[in-house]
Amino acid sequence: DDKEIVYREYTDISIAVSSPRGLVVPVLRDTQNMTFKDIEATIGDLGARARNDSITMEEMAGGTFTITNGGVFGSLFATPMLNMPQS
C-alpha cells in the first residue's frame, strides 16, 4: 500500500482515438511545452495515423494522464480503462 504521490516534471497526455481496429490511446509527449495549437495539430496527426493503422506501440506507452469520451459511441455511461499509474 504505497501512498506516495509522484510528481513528474513532464506531462504526457494519452488521448483515446477510435480506429478501425478499435479504441487506441496514443500519447502526446511533453505537452507542458506545447501551445493549444500544437496540441490540436498533434491530436489530429495521431488520430489520422491511428485510423490509417500506422501508429506504433511506442506511441501508445507511457502516458501520465488519460482523456477519453465514451459518448462518441452513443453511450450515456462509460468506464475508462487506465494504464497504471495513470490518473
Side-chain angles (χ1 to χ4, degrees), residues 8 10-14 27-29 31 62-66 83 85-87:
R8 308 219 184 266
Y10 61 89
T11 306
D12 293 345
I13 299 178
S14 302
V27 179
L28 282 74
R29 308 273 179 210
T31 58
T64 56
F65 187 89
T66 298
N83 294 323
Q86 292 184 35
S87 57

Side-chain angles (χ1 to χ4, degrees), residues 9-76:
E9 296 196 17
Y10 61 89
T11 306
D12 293 345
I13 299 178
S14 302
I15 303 288
V17 176
S18 181
S19 77
R21 291 184 177 217
L23 196 63
V24 295
V25 188
V27 179
L28 282 74
R29 308 273 179 210
D30 297 315
T31 58
Q32 77 280 358
N33 298 324
M34 292 180 164
T35 65
F36 283 116
K37 182 179 178 181
D38 296 335
I39 291 171
E40 182 179 11
T42 304
I43 290 171
D45 175 60
L46 290 170
R49 289 191 300 114
R51 288 186 294 279
N52 292 331
D53 199 25
S54 62
I55 200 113
T56 66
M57 290 300 292
E58 291 78 24
E59 292 173 302
M60 294 189 285
T64 56
F65 187 89
T66 298
I67 299 173
T68 188
N69 178 5
V72 298
F73 299 108
S75 64
L76 295 176

